[in-house]
Amino acid sequence: LSCTFPVFFSQLFLEKYGYFSEPGPGTHSPAEFTEALRDFQRVTHLPPSGVLDAPTLRQMALPRCGTDDGESRAAGPRRASPARRRRRTAQHGGRWYKRHLRYRVVNWPSYLPQHEVRLAVRAAFELWSNVSSLLFWEAQDGPADIRLTFFHGDHNDGLNNAFDGPGGALAHAFFPRRGEAHFDSAERWSLHSGKGRNLFIVVAHEVGHTLGLEHSPVKSALMSPYYKKLSKDFVLSWDDILAVQNLYGKPSKGSAIQLPGKVFTHFQDWNTDLYGRDRQQRSLSTYYCHSFFDAITTDGDHNLYIFKGSHYWVVSESGNASDPRPLQPRWPGLPAGIDACAWSQLSGKFYFFKGGRCWRYAGSKLEAGFPRKCSALGLPRHPDTALYFQQLRRLVLFKGPKYFVVGEEPLGAEPYYPRSLRDWAGLPPGTAGALTHRDGSVYFFRDDQYWKFDQAKLQVVASGKWAAQLAWMGCWDANSEQVLF
């Protein structure tokens, strides 16, 4: 029994997820079983031995989407047989023939706050609308194109789609134009990046299916069949974006917006004004207000520059935020997801840092010799924060519990550095950015918090939540006196 059970389990698994060309468990020859096993091993990036070994069984036991692996099997190095291709084409994919789709959250786990669930679902849909021509609207009751529902066990989708309790299949969805995504109520769902299955990441995956996307063979893709924890570095992969744009085209206005996963890890921080009718344009211009950004700096005209992913925002001295702008036209050659940025009051140049490299721009022109390996000049790799510090007439880079003072000409760390962060009394490690404000204070930021540093006293004199308390950050609507989404 101990030998035959894994084989029987794996046959049922391969049958459920579409690895046999003809249905019917127990009717497959050893050669068919070996070939199906090889297919599965290719899709999951295991050695395609065709042998039911321990790594293969472990992979089969991992939590995943309950929709079968369809097209992802054909995308590997081996071509699928015509019979298999016909079956996938007949049963899978499809697309919606309209651009505006309504969705409805029919029910949700009672232990999750309703408004947070709705925010997570909306964010999951926006992940796709940000990179395609689609637009989504929530229907709180009545008919909808796409319905999201939680079920226990067998829920009349056929025994092959019955939910299996915690682990295993977490959810499944149907291709257009059925418009259904089902989630296993027996899972422990969460809206945070800690314990439990992250609802946002699973909904975003299942929404992909309802739009017509197959499972992806690309391991890092959201549409990969296996559950992945939501990390702050998560973004849609190139494979996800190409797949949805192949069906629906690029965004009708502007360029695709990639939001990093750290925007979505704490939905309790999001403001429920998201559902106001005038929020469509506001949400774009204030996405950085969701508690996280990559870097921040300010120029000589007191304009703020706020960086997130492949875009940046400019907030004027009056607190008006621009729409998100792509990095490339403004700073050609600059990569997405920078670690730190500072504008130098001494030279009028922008400095950017990512990994061990740095970039220096005069206006929009990348200076000769850049990017260069700044870690070779004594600068830290992946700095947390960069700042031009007027008292020293130098750049300061912060990394963990230490800071470095950096000269510009020639570029390099000054002697006797790094020093302990204790010199900056009251400042926590791991800040995301800093700037010198026109009031003379230096403001440091981390997550949704800020620290106000007095340059004369050399200590932190105030702290709080920057989106709500610092009107000049562009997140404060003076008319309604509410924090914008």
Side-chain angles (χ1 to χ4, degrees):
L1 180 68
S2 61
C3 294
T4 57
F5 178 75
V7 174
F8 180 67
F9 161 78
S10 60
Q11 283 205 351
L12 289 177
F13 178 95
L14 295 169
E15 176 68 37
K16 174 179 171 64
Y17 292 110
Y19 284 89
F20 290 113
S21 54
E22 298 299 329
T27 62
H28 311 293
S29 69
E32 286 175 323
F33 177 72
T34 299
E35 192 57 29
L37 207 51
R38 279 203 185 99
D39 260 1
F40 171 74
Q41 289 165 333
R42 285 188 188 94
V43 166
T44 53
H45 306 276
L46 293 169
S49 63
V51 175
L52 187 61
D53 53 17
T56 304
L57 278 168
R58 274 198 299 273
Q59 184 69 38
M60 287 179 173
L62 292 175
R64 57 162 289 158
C65 170
T67 305
D68 79 34
D69 289 339
E71 200 64 31
S72 65
R73 293 164 47 223
R78 188 188 60 76
R79 290 172 54 196
S81 70
R84 286 174 177 167
R85 257 200 317 272
R86 274 199 301 277
R87 178 171 177 256
R88 282 196 299 274
T89 307
Q91 293 190 356
H92 289 265
R95 62 189 292 271
W96 295 92
Y97 291 95
K98 56 183 179 179
R99 292 287 185 266
H100 292 221
L101 297 170
R102 295 175 72 83
Y103 69 87
R104 181 180 166 198
V105 185
V106 177
N107 62 350
W108 54 88
S110 59
Y111 51 83
L112 294 180
Q114 178 189 354
H115 77 279
E116 288 186 26
V117 171
R118 289 172 61 208
L119 286 166
V121 170
R122 165 156 263 173
F125 277 96
E126 286 197 343
L127 205 59
W128 295 110
S129 61
N130 281 342
V131 297
S132 72
S133 66
L134 293 168
L135 286 172
F136 301 105
W137 304 96
E138 183 185 12
Q140 294 193 35
D141 48 41
D145 300 299
I146 298 170
R147 292 160 52 90
L148 284 66
T149 315
F150 287 78
F151 288 112
H152 276 284
D154 182 9
H155 50 285
N156 298 320
D157 272 351
L159 282 177
N160 217 28
N161 281 324
F163 284 131
D164 51 7
L170 308 179
H172 58 242
F174 297 89
F175 295 103
R177 292 181 291 281
R178 178 167 170 181
E180 293 268 346
H182 299 162
F183 302 84
D184 189 350
S185 293
E187 301 294 339
R188 184 69 185 180
W189 296 100
S190 168
L191 292 169
H192 314 302
S193 52
K195 292 180 180 178
R197 308 291 180 204
N198 185 270
L199 183 61
F200 162 73
I201 206 97
V202 177
V203 169
H205 176 100
E206 300 306 329
V207 166
H209 286 318
T210 69
L211 301 179
L213 273 60
E214 306 273 358
H215 278 153
S216 169
V218 177
K219 206 170 185 179
S220 62
L222 173 64
M223 294 311 297
S224 166
Y226 284 87
Y227 173 74
K228 49 177 66 66
K229 289 185 177 180
L230 177 61
S231 73
K232 64 186 176 111
D233 301 318
F234 161 79
V235 289
L236 284 179
S237 80
W238 57 269
D239 190 64
D240 299 316
I241 295 170
L242 288 178
V244 74
Q245 290 184 353
N246 188 45
L247 291 175
Y248 302 105
K250 295 180 179 180
S252 51
K253 290 182 180 177
S255 55
I257 299 171
Q258 273 280 63
L259 296 179
K262 56 188 176 181
V263 172
F264 305 114
T265 53
H266 291 84
F267 286 97
Q268 75 274 21
D269 291 344
W270 285 34
N271 190 290
T272 50
D273 285 349
L274 170 62
Y275 292 101
R277 285 289 170 224
D278 61 345
R279 51 71 53 198
Q280 190 75 19
Q281 194 55 40
R282 275 185 185 174
S283 66
L284 280 178
S285 63
T286 54
Y287 258 134
Y288 66 86
C289 295
H290 294 175
S291 306
F292 303 98
F293 47 74
D294 297 332
I296 188 170
T297 192
T298 185
D299 65 15
D301 296 322
H302 305 297
N303 293 310
L304 304 185
Y305 294 79
I306 299 172
F307 298 86
K308 184 194 274 296
S310 58
H311 286 71
Y312 74 101
W313 288 256
V314 180
V315 184
S316 68
E317 188 174 359
S318 60
N320 292 321
S322 72
D323 286 343
R325 302 172 180 177
L327 293 177
Q328 282 305 315
R330 177 68 174 84
W331 294 286
L334 186 64
I338 60 168
D339 291 323
C341 169
W343 179 80
S344 168
Q345 201 174 328
L346 184 67
S347 63
K349 294 173 183 177
F350 278 93
Y351 288 82
F352 297 93
F353 303 88
K354 181 172 182 176
R357 297 194 300 163
C358 59
W359 290 254
R360 184 166 73 189
Y361 290 85
S364 290
K365 183 175 175 56
L366 181 64
E367 294 210 328
F370 290 89
R372 61 191 298 185
K373 192 174 180 183
C374 284
S375 55
L377 306 174
L379 277 60
R381 289 177 53 81
H382 296 290
D384 300 322
T385 290
L387 169 71
Y388 178 81
F389 196 57
Q390 180 59 34
Q391 286 190 7
L392 296 173
R393 297 174 69 81
R394 298 284 190 277
L395 299 173
V396 182
L397 294 183
F398 296 82
K399 171 73 175 184
K402 297 181 178 179
Y403 73 99
F404 299 70
V405 172
V406 177
E408 293 186 63
E409 293 293 350
L411 189 64
E414 296 284 354
Y416 311 113
Y417 288 93
R419 285 177 55 93
S420 169
L421 195 62
R422 287 194 293 269
D423 293 348
W424 302 71
L427 187 65
T431 53
L435 57 86
T436 303
H437 191 255
R438 58 183 178 272
D439 67 9
S441 298
V442 179
Y443 288 80
F444 290 85
F445 302 86
R446 187 182 73 190
D447 299 341
D448 61 344
Q449 300 287 315
Y450 79 90
W451 291 263
K452 181 179 180 180
F453 185 84
D454 187 304
Q455 297 194 63
K457 298 177 181 176
L458 292 177
Q459 67 182 43
V460 170
V461 292
S463 62
K465 294 199 177 246
W466 55 263
Q469 294 173 256
L470 303 180
W472 46 265
M473 285 291 287
C475 303
W476 187 265
D477 187 337
N479 297 321
S480 65
E481 294 192 349
Q482 289 180 340
V483 179
L484 297 177
F485 161 69

